[in-house]
Amino acid sequence: MTSAHVPVLAGELIELGHPGPGDRVVDCTFGAGGHARLVADRIGATGTLVCVDRDPAAEERFEELSAEVACDTRFLRMDYADALELLAAEGFRADLVYLDLGVSSMQIDARERGFSYSYDAPLDMRMDPSQDLDAREIVNDWDERRLAQLFRSYGEDPNARTIARELVRRRAKAPLDTTAELVDAIEGALPAAVRRRFGGSSPAKRVFQAVRIAVNSELESLDRALPAAWSVLAAGGRLAAISFHSLEDRRVKRFLAERAVGCICPPDLPVCGCGRTPEAELVTRRAVGPSPGEVADNPRSRSGRLRAARRLQEEPA
Ligand SMILES: C[S@@+](CC[C@H](N)C(=O)[O-])C[C@H]1O[C@@H](n2cnc3c(N)ncnc32)[C@H](O)[C@@H]1O
């Protein structure tokens, strides 16, 4: 079963990304095309919209959108870092590049894909179903130290070691094949008093996030995509990113802030000796979050954080 994905921070993305008639735009995370549709309306018949996603389900949605909008469209089914590097090599220049990170509701609600701890399904979690690595391999083959490190660094889970130990104990008897078995092992690792602290939320949430990030190499892709996105921007073009956890937001924040730094000479030097000028103007000084109304309408938007910057000069060819 799949459901509609409600685009997060959509009005803010349009306001701060500022797409206009004739613009060339890259949507790095097409999903169900919610943001893309709004952008297509703004850029009109003379605009170009390149859409990227590594999930074949997104490509099906793209076909529908492409038939309905006036602008030129193109779909690249691949990792967005590869797509941006390809566009840069083609000499493509964009007025707006944006990323809406993480998983879509379509993916979470497709029970059989194993993204959700709420449904029993095979341990999968691949955004690109043709890739080899899946959640089952991580949960059953990674050693205890590596699992604990994964849960700590990508899930920020304070119970990382205890959970890793329990997974290794259980899989020695029989491999863990399903999301329900993983949830059961996580819950079984924690004393009742610790489990009670989670209230309405699941103690499996952080581990699922960590495994999903690892399966899909999400942070490695983001680290490669940010410089590639920057290099395809035309002068005055904007880069915008919507993050859903601090591991992503920290990377986006640091990347944009570094580009906005100008002269780094000591303040008492009478003339600049470093010759450094800013490459970027920050469009958002602080991350922009959803309004209370958006959170009420779409609770999945709660952790969304949008940052954007404008490129001042194009990269020399
Ligand atoms: C939050 S959803 C995007 C939703 C979309 N903005 C909309 O309005 O429907 C994120 C999408 O990005 C895709 N994605 C995540 N990481 C990716 C990557 N490294 N390369 C390509 N696509 C990626 C996922 O498959 C998913 O469809």
Side-chain angles (χ1 to χ4, degrees), residues 28 74 85 87 108 154 195 210 269 290:
C28 296
R74 175 180 177 190
E85 286 169 5
L87 291 168
I108 293 174
Y154 287 2
R195 281 205 308 274
L269 212 69

Side-chain angles (χ1 to χ4, degrees), residues 5-8 27-36 52-55 58 78-81 98 100-104 106-107 127 216 218 221 244:
H5 177 92
V6 181
V8 170
D27 177 328
C28 296
T29 48
F30 181 78
H35 289 118
V52 183
D53 206 294
R54 56 184 169 188
D55 189 335
M78 57 179 82
D79 188 307
Y80 51 58
Y98 61 93
D100 174 23
L101 298 164
V103 271
S104 69
M106 281 197 301
Q107 290 166 327
M127 291 178 182
N216 297 292
E218 291 179 31
S221 286
F244 288 87

